Amino acid sequence: MNAFRLARALALALPAVLMAGALGSQYIGGLYPCEMCHWQRWPHYAAILLAACAYVAPGIAARRMLVVLAALGIATSGAIGVFHAGVEYGWWEGITACTARVAPGDGDFLKALLKAPIIRCDVAQWTLGGISLAGFNAIFSLGGAVAILALLTRRR
């Protein structure tokens, strides 16, 4: 597989796998995302769309540009992950308040609000080896973006 094809495949697979993990931890593992967790997801959604378009775009120049944009989206998610992890580790203060998810139509709004889980952005819900999910997103996203861009600079 040549370097461009590998970069394009990585630009699609990496955010897709990271989003599958995020959604799995939410819907299967019961880890509710905070506001900054959602911020990290949006660039991954964009990267998936851009990388998918790189498979059908006419011309190699357009395909390469879409892969570059996907890599930048992945890097953006990683940068937000660095900020979020820093908030969790207490390195700096966050810019969001605690959030609670209550859907309209839950019946008695006050009861639903009081029962809703409060998700703080400054407390890691899960860690492995002292690294939070935001930290892992930062590591994988920034490392993946660098790998994609490095593959795009390779000569044939």
Side-chain angles (χ1 to χ4, degrees), residues 80-133:
I80 297 168
V82 168
F83 179 73
H84 187 188
V87 170
E88 291 173 336
Y89 299 139
W91 297 340
W92 44 74
E93 205 170 303
I95 57 175
T96 62
C98 297
T99 57
R101 302 285 180 211
V102 178
D106 279 344
D108 185 358
F109 182 75
L110 184 58
K111 281 185 182 177
L113 183 61
L114 292 173
K115 288 183 178 180
I118 295 176
I119 310 304
R120 296 180 48 166
C121 292
D122 62 345
V123 176
Q125 292 186 54
W126 183 88
T127 62
L128 178 65
I131 302 173
S132 69
L133 289 172

Side-chain angles (χ1 to χ4, degrees), residues 6-22:
L6 184 57
R8 184 174 59 179
L10 185 58
L12 181 60
L14 178 64
V17 168
L18 291 174
M19 284 310 306

Side-chain angles (χ1 to χ4, degrees), residues 14-38:
L14 178 64
V17 168
L18 291 174
M19 284 310 306
L23 294 171
S25 69
Q26 178 180 348
Y27 292 108
I28 297 169
L31 298 177
Y32 297 99
C34 72
E35 188 174 351
M36 283 196 277
C37 293
H38 284 291

